[in-house]
């Protein structure tokens, strides 16, 4: 099954983490990608990735529109 949907994450501060969580019975972190301000990551949900957690201030663009995560403090 070809996955055609992409999620675009644009970091609005240094040190934004994009964390991939595993698909299946247990949901664990399997990958952390660190983005600095202005950096963009384009990602998909896959056989291995069922969820993503974004830590830090970023814009998250998807088929559902754009949401902004905020930084702590
Ligand atoms: N090896 C991972 C996978 O195929 C790579 C990946 C895809 C990923 N989407 C992600 C890692 C989102 C972090 C966040 O599932």
């Amino acid at each position: 099954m070809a996955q055609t949907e992409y999620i675009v994450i644009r970091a609005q501060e240094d040190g934004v983490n994009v964390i991939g969580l595993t698909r299946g019975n247990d949901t664990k972190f399997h990958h952390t990608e660190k983005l600095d301000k202005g950096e963009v990551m384009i990602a998909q949900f896959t056989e291995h990735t069922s969820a993503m957690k974004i830590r830090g201030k970023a814009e998250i663009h998807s088929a559902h529109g754009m949401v902004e995560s905020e930084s702590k403090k």
Side-chain angles (χ1 to χ4, degrees):
M1 186 187 73
Q3 169 67 265
T4 56
E5 203 175 306
Y6 289 83
I7 308 294
V8 177
I9 299 124
R10 190 169 82 90
Q12 293 184 313
E13 65 181 6
D14 287 349
V16 169
N17 282 300
V18 179
I19 303 161
L21 293 101
T22 56
R23 191 176 297 283
N25 289 332
D26 43 43
T27 305
K28 292 187 176 161
F29 289 11
H30 68 73
H31 185 97
T32 300
E33 198 64 42
K34 196 161 253 177
L35 304 180
D36 283 335
K37 186 170 182 169
E39 287 186 329
V40 169
M41 181 167 169
I42 303 162
Q44 290 180 301
F45 290 101
T46 68
E47 185 190 345
H48 305 291
T49 304
S50 66
M52 293 178 219
K53 174 171 173 171
I54 316 295
R55 193 176 269 156
K57 188 169 167 56
E59 288 174 0
I60 300 128
H61 301 260
S62 73
H64 306 285
M66 196 272 275
V67 290
E68 274 186 281
S69 56
E70 284 165 29
S71 62
K72 211 167 149 183
K73 73 190 171 343

